[in-house]
Amino acid sequence: MGVEGIGARVVRKEDKRFITGKGRYVDDIKLQGMTHAHFIRSPHAHAKVKGIDSSAALKMPGVVAVLTGQEIVDDKVGNLICGWAITSKDGSPMKMGAWPAMAPETVRFVGQAVAVVIAESKNLARDAAEAVVVNYEELPAVADVHAAIKSGAPQLHPEAPGNQVYDWVIGDEGAADAAFAKAANVVKLDVTNNRLAPNAMEPRAAIADYDSAEEHFTLYTTSQNPHVARLVLSAFYNIAPEHKLRVIAPDVGGGFGSKIFIYPEEMVALWASKKVGRPVKWTGDRTEAFLTDAHGRDHVTHAEMAFDANNKITGLKVKTYANFGAYMSLFSSSVPTYLYATLLSGQYNIPAIHAEVIGVYTNTTPVDAYRGAGRPEASYLIERLMETAARQLNVDPAALRRTNFITQFPHQTPVIMAYDVGDFNASLDAAMKAIDYAGFPARKAKAKADGKLRGIGVSCYIEACGIAPSKAVGSLGAGVGLWESAEVRVNPVGTIEILTGSHSHGQGHETTFCQLVAERLGVPISQVSIVHGDTDKVQFGMGTYGSRSAAVGLTAILKAMEKMESKAKKIAAHALEASEGDIVIENGEFKVAGTDKAIAFPMVALAAYTAHNLPDGMEPGLKESAFYDPTNFTFPAGTYICELEVDPGTGKTSFVNFVAADDFGRLINPMIVEGQVHGGLVQGIGQALLEHAIYDSNGQPVTASFMDYAMPRADDVPSFNLSHTTTLCPGNPLGIKGCGEAGAIGASAAVINAITDAIGKNNLEMPATPDRVWRTIHAA
Amino acid sequence: MYQTVYHRASSVDEAVSLFAKGSEAKFLAGGQTLLPVMKQRLASPSDLIDLGKIKELQGVELSGDVLTIKAGTTYFDIMQNADVKKAIPAIAYLTSVLGDPAVRYRGTIGGSIANNDPAADYPAALLALGAAVKTNKRSIAADDFFQGLFTTALEDGEIITAVSFPVPAKAGYEKMRHPASRFALTGVFVALTKSGEIRVAATGASQTGVMRVPAIEAALKANWSPSAIDSVSISASNLLADIHGTAEYRANLIKVMAQRAVAAAG
Ligand SMILES: Cc1cc2nc3c(=O)[nH]c(=O)nc-3n(C[C@H](O)[C@H](O)[C@H](O)COP(=O)(O)OP(=O)(O)OC[C@H]3O[C@@H](n4cnc5c(N)ncnc54)[C@H](O)[C@@H]3O)c2cc1C
């Protein structure tokens, strides 16, 4: 490892501009003649739109246009799509309720847009929006999953009787039933996985600019995957063919999944900019973010686990109701199915698993992937079950896990996933040592003497990252392939530009991707720049989510680098009159191995471009590209242990210690990895203790501001104790597994297991607010 | 329709006369309540009269047994003030757990009590300490000043100039922070005056705003100690209930916070 190579704690290159206020976000961009959009949104969770009167608004100062849902439908802008087709157990396709970008007839959640005002300024648009009169006829609404599937419940979509999206199953029901029939012990648990609002620091924004001469659109947008946005806008929403649509995702201030999806506001901005003949800008505010950014999680699950007399798990049965909100968002269908139920084996040998997932429409904001997407739900369920089982079977929770760990790899689970490698005992050992697990009973006794209830909670998570082998996901219903592309452009002076289809919105790619180049060529990272986020610059890419950018995106860069190096070696060999096979790359030089003959990399680059003396038949230039399609998912795994105290007087939780032992395979930049783990853990703890997007029974959101929705703050979380145990991923040449979501996947169960241990009760829902904990302590 | 005219007053008198001229004028102090409300378009004053630069509204004075905090003094200045820390450390502590650093740099005691949010911290201190609210017109006892949710004895255009606190023998404040807003989910201020009176006020708990808690006052009168409150029973009826705390939970918090406030008071 060089000072800037793989494994080095290189300070982030991008931070200079972020810290000095020089970041360039969508809202920082101002175009000549730009107009501003303000959306008129439904205050009702369910209503018919009987009429929209914009006559007064149109007379107000600075108003350019008021456009309605009926007009966007009349102009044949396509309905929003869901890109992963799920088939119900009866063989029927999932039931898609029509979702126009603005509602022409029916609104189905508070915040759904019905019209948009375009004006000379944001405030003028907002003023005029107050003068638009929308006549609604309110309909009965339903927000809760169980209420929505009851007979007689308000119906959202004619396409989906009973509000059911799908009823999907995985695994072998007969085998699971047989295991339960023979079980020595059965452990049962009901858990709710609370709904979360993603709350990226930067709200969503879009600027659309239509060039009538070229019939060409440019869209600046807060996207994690600008190429996917362009593909969907072209292929499904009829905005423009791909070569007439450029999508730019500049600096993006966090996404956590919520910026994967193509939202109505972007579609409307594009369509409106053609209609008004001027650029149209929309920047959401925090309230709009709470109301319209796709939410996360929201599962209600009953699960049962069967054990034999030796405490070995013999079977698992799971039934989950997933609340999708009012419409199926872009990847929503895959989250509680292929991203959730395929991880239900956890770190354990479970011979028989059967899971059923029922997707349900409700009059709430659509739900889709949010940091972890399905895996937190699976991990939380399994780890709560394991803890509950340990208490019921009267064995140590760590020991019960050890008894059931998978130790042979590769391991085929009964739910599609084949784990390639791992060492679950190693991470459990590391975490137990870090927290002094053996010393816990003494600490608990001491805390008791001080009037505090102390608890310890273990969570052994596994997840699937590096999504994903295109062929595999295609066979499961995905509408896209999940490879990644890269291009390496060497300039004549030897500086290097890496073009990637991955998108950085907090991950630090501008640093880590350069580290690969530094590692291979021995050039300083200042000589390398990373180009991403612009469909005119980067040919194609699938973007960043699912902790895929290092395992898939960086591997694509590696493949392109190898091609470039191979050509550069030929040029160097020719210049040094040596044979290609003898050339080695060291410290920025191409050397003839074992001699002092060398040529510096910039001279190789220059030779490629002057083309004065290239090997016969070689094309000039030094630029290579590659597409990389992974062969399997990667399987980051680890153990989190949380020790905390509960104040019995108030139910308030205080952390004593939180240790994380992760196996992410090879680390490119441990400092950035730690940052990713910190952020993930905070989100996991936020879900466990604080965050909850709540609706009342009429579908009115109760938590649409930070005064009501509790985001974790620095003093809500402990200082984390991190460590790594490493098994290299055999699926990609760098041995990388991915680290972006692990914290959010594993943390919540550790926290809840610790609280339930402290208070001596098994049933406690998230978020474990002081009120809820206090009531649980004092419940009969 | 949402335009406003900004004025910077240099004296209380000027502020009063500017207020009289505006059709729907409002005083602006730290702006930590008023500005967010205006941004949400829930208030649209014709004129904003900034009190921030009025010298006579700034500062703290300790004279004998009375601590006077001028209305425009920011939380940060109150927290740091040596006289406050010496005379009534419970007020310095209360201020240190109010809001976040940004709020504490801008927000003022006058703005806080004029607003009288049912979960604000200062009203509990004023009520428990038997403070007097000084205005440009009169002096109002805390018992009369707070009149329910967001309602006070202030008349239209009346400016709070200062709050005078009798220095107590003992005082303490404890607060369970609202997980999202960090206002008081329930906060209790206990005070033992130099004349031996016991006053206990709870904020964040009642549907009618800050309130005295006679049952706890009686218990403490018999025995000034946390354990004296063990046997007190607080009724949950008329207490606030929301997603962060049931009425029963708040009833419990009134007791627990009172016990801890007594312990802190010593
Ligand atoms: C994020 C956040 C967290 C907060 N947390 C807490 C908390 O934990 N505890 C808490 O108690 N408060 C909290 N607050 C509220 C904060 O204390 C406000 O500052 C306070 O309510 C108003 O004070 P201000 O000086 O900002 O007044 P402004 O917002 O300027 O004014 C508020 C009202 O008071 C009137 N007013 C102001 N000064 C005078 C005066 N001298 N005479 C007459 N009328 C006047 C104004 O006209 C206006 O109607 C929080 C606020 C925010 C934004």
Side-chain angles (χ1 to χ4, degrees), chain A residues 470-546:
Chain A
S470 301
K471 203 171 160 183
V473 295
S475 73
L476 301 176
V480 288
L482 288 167
W483 42 266
E484 196 45 87
S485 83
E487 191 176 314
V488 175
R489 289 186 191 164
V490 180
N491 296 317
V493 292
T495 56
I496 298 162
E497 286 160 39
I498 303 285
L499 288 77
T500 169
S502 297
H503 185 276
S504 187
H505 36 277
Q507 292 82 354
H509 296 170
E510 288 170 49
T511 306
T512 48
F513 289 6
C514 290
Q515 288 182 248
L516 174 72
V517 180
E519 174 79 20
R520 297 190 65 88
L521 298 181
V523 300
I525 62 171
S526 61
Q527 301 294 299
V528 188
S529 64
I530 304 297
V531 178
H532 70 101
D534 184 341
T535 59
D536 262 15
K537 292 180 180 166
V538 178
Q539 190 237 331
F540 210 89
M542 296 311 297
T544 289
Y545 39 81

Side-chain angles (χ1 to χ4, degrees), chain A residues 217-391:
Chain A
F217 291 87
T218 304
L219 174 68
Y220 302 85
T221 181
T222 47
S223 175
Q224 300 178 214
N225 34 226
H227 291 87
V228 177
R230 183 181 65 167
L231 172 69
V232 173
L233 288 162
S234 291
F236 298 99
Y237 302 157
N238 309 326
I239 299 292
E242 281 174 280
H243 67 300
K244 293 290 184 186
L245 173 58
R246 176 182 184 186
V247 178
I248 300 172
D251 283 333
V252 173
F256 312 117
S258 70
K259 292 173 182 167
I260 297 173
F261 325 117
I262 291 84
Y263 286 91
E265 291 83 1
E266 293 144 37
M267 300 163 65
V268 170
L270 285 160
W271 167 74
S273 99
K274 183 171 178 182
K275 272 205 128 47
V276 304
R278 290 170 62 182
V280 173
K281 179 183 210 169
W282 169 76
T283 302
D285 62 21
R286 186 58 60 186
T287 307
E288 288 180 295
F290 272 109
L291 297 180
T292 67
D293 290 5
H295 288 173
R297 320 269 196 281
D298 206 339
H299 283 193
V300 180
T301 297
H302 176 77
E304 302 191 3
M305 199 177 247
F307 287 84
D308 69 13
N310 300 318
N311 294 336
K312 291 246 184 212
I313 309 167
T314 54
L316 173 67
K317 287 204 272 193
V318 173
K319 184 167 188 178
T320 293
Y321 292 89
N323 187 344
F324 281 121
Y327 299 98
M328 293 302 285
S329 173
L330 191 62
F331 288 113
S332 57
S333 57
S334 63
V335 176
T337 49
Y338 291 111
L339 297 181
Y340 162 71
T342 55
L343 270 308
L344 285 173
S345 198
Q347 297 191 354
Y348 314 108
N349 256 307
I350 307 182
I353 299 179
H354 182 257
E356 176 171 15
V357 180
I358 295 153
V360 179
Y361 285 116
T362 61
N363 294 108
T364 60
T365 299
V367 177
D368 205 324
Y370 167 66
R371 201 170 192 170
R375 292 100 82 209
E377 296 89 311
S379 180
Y380 179 70
L381 176 65
I382 296 305
E383 291 308 293
R384 286 284 313 275
L385 264 174
M386 290 304 279
E387 201 77 19
T388 308
R391 291 170 196 165

Side-chain angles (χ1 to χ4, degrees), chain A residues 663-676:
Chain A
D663 180 356
F664 296 142
R666 190 181 312 284
L667 309 184
I668 306 297
N669 182 327
M671 180 196 74
I672 287 180
V673 170
E674 286 161 12
Q676 290 287 314

